Amino acid sequence: MNVVTRFAPSPTWYLHIWSLRTVLYNYLFAKKNNGKFLLRIEDTDRTRLVEGSVDNMLAVLASVWLIPDEWPNNPWDKWPYYQSERLDIYKKYIDQLIKDDKAYYCFCSSERLDELRTEQKELGLPTKYDKKCRYLSEEEIKEKLNSWIPYTVRLKVPENKEVIVEDLIKWKIKVNTKDIDEQVLLKSDGFPTYHLANIVDDHLMWVTHVIRWDEWTPSAPKHVLLYQAFWWEVPTFAHIPLLLWNDKKKLSKRTWDVAVENYLEKWYLTESLINYISLLWWNPKTTEEFFTMNELIERFELTNVHKAWAVFDVDRLDFFNSHYLKTLDLNYLFDKLKTYLSRYDKEFYDKILKFDDSYNLKIFDELKTRIKHFSEFKSYTNFFYNESNIAPTDLIVNQKMKIDSIDTATNGLKLALSILEDKITDYSSIDDIKVDFVEKIKEAEMKNWQVLWPVRCALSWEQFSPWALELIYILWVKESINRINKTLESIS
Ligand code: GLU
């Protein structure tokens, strides 16, 4: 079997975290089986369209490497991928259903349907269509059509029959047709409903596996009935459970934090997003945690997807991100950082490009193990990219560091100065600096921190920064001497 999966969003918002999960699972399953993964746009509900959402979705999917094999407006344009451009196709299939007595015209007005719903609610009954038009005679139908009474078309649900949905995650779902509503398939505006268009398209696009979120589980029996009405093969379903926020509330579209783009703007690595999202529902059945995309493709099984909802936890995502910041290649990460900066912080990007790449790389190498994501880079680099500043005296004279007076600090700074002034070339590693400093501090019968703390303050003037030796290594000897001199002048 040639596996074909699809992601079929309605363009009513930007790509959410839970949709990213749906895309990822569709993608992994297709790739694992040497199949195809399609993107189709379900835009038949014209009242809810959001402009720009398809472009945004395509851009975000490309950023996270989940590029479909076929997508709307692709160069070869095999068929229209927007449902709104496929209306004549649905019309043809509606006509076929009516001819085969699998669907019927419904002339009930929306007022009648509203009344019916209210009545059923008051009686505590499930709200369903009462099948009034199902039994109209041919003459009655003809007469109503001829007098242009607006109509919808509804599915004729067989009486008292058991419908079985085979689901790879939920196993078997059984429903009796007496509990299934006679669903509208064609709306009075001539647009198909989601249910009809979705089934027709999945069939025509050779979709073999329908992997989508749990919200559609209750519709699956209706879909099976539709496949049967057309005498089409039913695809295999896999309904993935919901995603909750870490306060156990359902994720809501109102919070921007659910948009995938938000995580790109915070400069999370694709590696960590994909790795974390993959594990939210899927269990590799071992204690392994870190997977590349290729490893996921190899290992992914729909049957190992959890049946319970998952909880989205940004701290866990940070954990994965820190891991990849520590382990991925330095140059690769730095290029990635530059891409993010050029996209989201042009001013800072232009600023760092004024510095040597080797300088930038040294800074990044030092910081990448301390930050959780790229966006923290800027706040930790003030002292590398800005004019040097003077550390406040109460930071330098610090009881915790046993620097009890300006004199102690001055002595420490002077000793560091003498060491650095003897250096003709720059240090080639932090270890070299360490050897020099430890030896000279010992000779001067001082304590390490009495030198290193004031130096750290002179070089970074902030409460939190890398250590003195790292700072010297990054700033080079000359700039370190400048900064120490400046601090000595100011405290003397
Ligand atoms: N258009 C539906 C949605 O956005 C697709 C559901 C499905 O995958 O069948 O939820």
Side-chain angles (χ1 to χ4, degrees):
M1 174 173 46
N2 292 326
V3 165
V4 179
T5 65
R6 89 304 193 261
F7 176 52
S10 306
T12 54
W13 220 65
Y14 290 168
L15 195 78
H16 303 128
I17 285 287
W18 62 81
S19 304
L20 177 64
R21 170 280 312 264
T22 308
V23 177
L24 177 63
Y25 287 14
N26 273 289
Y27 178 89
L28 293 177
F29 188 76
K31 297 294 149 190
K32 185 188 173 91
N33 293 289
N34 297 317
K36 254 194 329 189
F37 163 58
L38 322 179
L39 177 66
R40 177 178 74 228
I41 305 299
E42 304 209 324
D43 58 346
T44 54
D45 186 350
R46 309 301 290 169
T47 54
R48 294 172 57 230
L49 302 188
V50 169
E51 213 184 311
S53 70
V54 175
D55 289 342
N56 171 273
M57 241 172 243
L58 287 169
V60 170
L61 289 182
S63 303
V64 295
W65 314 326
L66 297 172
I67 300 176
D69 297 296
E70 289 176 26
W71 66 90
N73 309 333
N74 64 49
W76 52 90
D77 236 355
K78 201 151 140 200
W79 39 45
Y81 295 82
Y82 281 92
Q83 289 188 327
S84 57
E85 293 169 14
R86 302 169 59 82
L87 299 184
D88 46 346
I89 303 178
Y90 309 125
K91 180 76 182 66
K92 186 180 118 198
Y93 286 101
I94 275 288
D95 290 347
Q96 183 185 324
L97 284 179
I98 292 176
K99 192 169 127 266
D100 294 350
D101 197 27
K102 305 283 187 188
Y104 59 90
Y105 295 102
C106 172
F107 300 94
C108 292
S109 64
S110 50
E111 291 77 33
R112 170 168 196 272
L113 296 174
D114 284 347
E115 265 167 41
L116 179 67
R117 215 169 295 129
T118 319
E119 236 168 71
Q120 289 171 330
K121 269 192 195 153
E122 276 170 11
L123 294 171
L125 296 170
T127 51
K128 276 197 316 187
Y129 180 57
D130 61 358
K131 307 186 185 180
K132 178 167 180 260
C133 294
R134 178 173 172 149
Y135 304 105
L136 291 177
S137 68
E138 252 175 63
E139 285 71 45
E140 281 172 306
I141 295 171
K142 239 185 229 153
E143 188 199 305
K144 286 181 194 289
L145 286 176
N146 286 339
S147 36
W148 298 97
I149 299 183
Y151 63 84
T152 59
V153 174
R154 289 183 183 270
L155 174 68
K156 201 171 244 183
V157 174
E159 310 271 1
N160 203 16
K161 188 181 149 193
E162 188 132 283
V163 185
I164 295 172
V165 182
E166 305 279 356
D167 188 299
L168 288 181
I169 299 169
K170 299 178 169 285
W171 300 323
K172 226 176 219 162
I173 305 161
K174 277 191 206 161
V175 185
N176 191 288
T177 48
K178 70 177 171 20
D179 298 317
I180 299 180
D181 194 13
E182 309 236 287
Q183 188 67 51
V184 172
L185 303 177
L186 189 77
K187 293 181 275 184
S188 54
D189 60 5
F191 274 83
T193 55
Y194 152 75
H195 303 284
L196 177 83
N198 186 275
I199 268 61
V200 168
D201 288 346
D202 280 348
H203 172 73
L204 295 180
M205 294 178 179
W206 306 97
V207 170
T208 56
H209 290 77
V210 172
I211 306 167
R212 60 185 172 193
W213 71 324
D214 218 7
E215 192 161 273
W216 295 111
T217 308
S219 300
K222 280 179 221 169
H223 296 178
V224 170
L225 283 177
L226 259 172
Y227 282 107
Q228 290 170 348
F230 282 120
W231 299 96
W232 289 339
E233 196 178 334
V234 185
T236 306
F237 291 98
H239 288 94
I240 319 167
L242 292 183
L243 179 59
L244 305 182
W245 207 240
N246 52 6
D247 56 6
K248 299 272 159 72
K249 289 207 183 93
K250 206 174 145 184
L251 256 67
S252 137
K253 290 188 185 177
R254 272 169 284 280
T255 33
W256 176 231
D257 272 357
V258 302
V260 177
E261 201 181 3
N262 188 236
Y263 294 86
L264 298 177
E265 278 178 0
K266 285 189 189 146
W267 317 348
Y268 277 95
L269 289 164
T270 300
E271 283 83 353
S272 36
L273 269 173
I274 294 296
N275 196 154
Y276 175 56
I277 298 283
S278 74
L279 292 174
L280 274 176
W281 292 266
W282 169 71
N283 185 338
K285 302 269 176 210
T286 66
T287 52
E288 293 155 279
E289 285 188 300
F290 304 111
F291 296 93
T292 62
M293 185 73 97
N294 281 340
E295 286 163 350
L296 286 174
I297 291 174
E298 199 179 300
R299 305 274 297 275
F300 184 76
E301 296 286 355
L302 274 173
T303 42
N304 287 353
V305 172
H306 308 174
K307 286 181 187 38
W309 37 258
V311 173
F312 187 82
D313 182 354
V314 180
D315 291 341
R316 276 294 281 169
L317 178 60
D318 283 346
F319 162 78
F320 281 95
N321 212 56
S322 312
H323 167 81
Y324 285 109
L325 281 173
K326 286 192 190 96
T327 52
L328 289 175
D329 175 71
L330 179 67
N331 287 298
Y332 166 80
L333 284 172
F334 188 61
D335 277 346
K336 194 105 188 163
L337 172 68
K338 284 201 285 193
T339 312
Y340 275 115
L341 285 179
S342 65
R343 201 181 298 166
Y344 298 118
D345 194 341
K346 192 75 175 60
E347 200 183 313
F348 187 56
Y349 175 69
D350 290 340
K351 186 174 198 167
I352 73 163
L353 284 199
K354 293 203 184 94
F355 293 81
D356 241 26
D357 245 11
S358 62
Y359 180 66
N360 290 331
L361 269 173
K362 276 206 288 184
I363 298 172
F364 184 61
D365 195 21
E366 171 56 31
L367 289 180
K368 73 189 186 68
T369 52
R370 295 166 194 256
I371 56 179
K372 288 198 287 294
H373 36 85
F374 284 153
S375 59
E376 292 171 339
F377 182 72
K378 187 174 170 180
S379 56
Y380 281 113
T381 52
N382 214 354
F383 34 82
F384 291 127
Y385 293 119
N386 290 321
E387 285 270 303
S388 79
N389 210 335
I390 306 289
T393 315
D394 59 355
L395 181 69
I396 305 178
V397 178
N398 186 318
Q399 295 303 336
K400 244 208 257 149
M401 293 292 160
K402 302 216 173 66
I403 311 290
D404 49 13
S405 68
I406 295 277
D407 279 351
T408 320
T410 308
N411 289 340
L413 288 173
K414 282 189 171 154
L415 180 73
L417 208 52
S418 71
I419 302 171
L420 294 174
E421 279 170 347
D422 274 353
K423 257 326 260 183
I424 306 157
T425 53
D426 266 300
Y427 289 103
S428 54
S429 74
I430 297 174
D431 279 344
D432 284 355
I433 311 179
K434 196 167 169 187
V435 171
D436 245 10
F437 270 72
V438 169
E439 195 186 299
K440 301 274 166 48
I441 293 173
K442 213 166 159 195
E443 271 173 30
E445 294 182 4
M446 292 174 80
K447 302 281 180 220
N448 284 346
W449 63 82
Q450 290 175 331
V451 178
L452 299 181
W453 179 255
V455 168
R456 208 221 71 152
C457 299
L459 300 184
S460 76
W461 68 82
E462 276 184 13
Q463 183 119 28
F464 300 102
S465 82
W467 277 99
L469 305 182
E470 280 91 353
L471 285 166
I472 295 172
Y473 177 66
I474 293 168
L475 288 166
W476 305 121
V477 169
K478 194 166 152 233
E479 178 60 13
S480 305
I481 293 176
N482 279 344
R483 293 188 181 191
I484 293 173
N485 270 326
K486 211 168 161 187
T487 306
L488 272 173
E489 267 166 42
S490 92
I491 61 173
S492 63

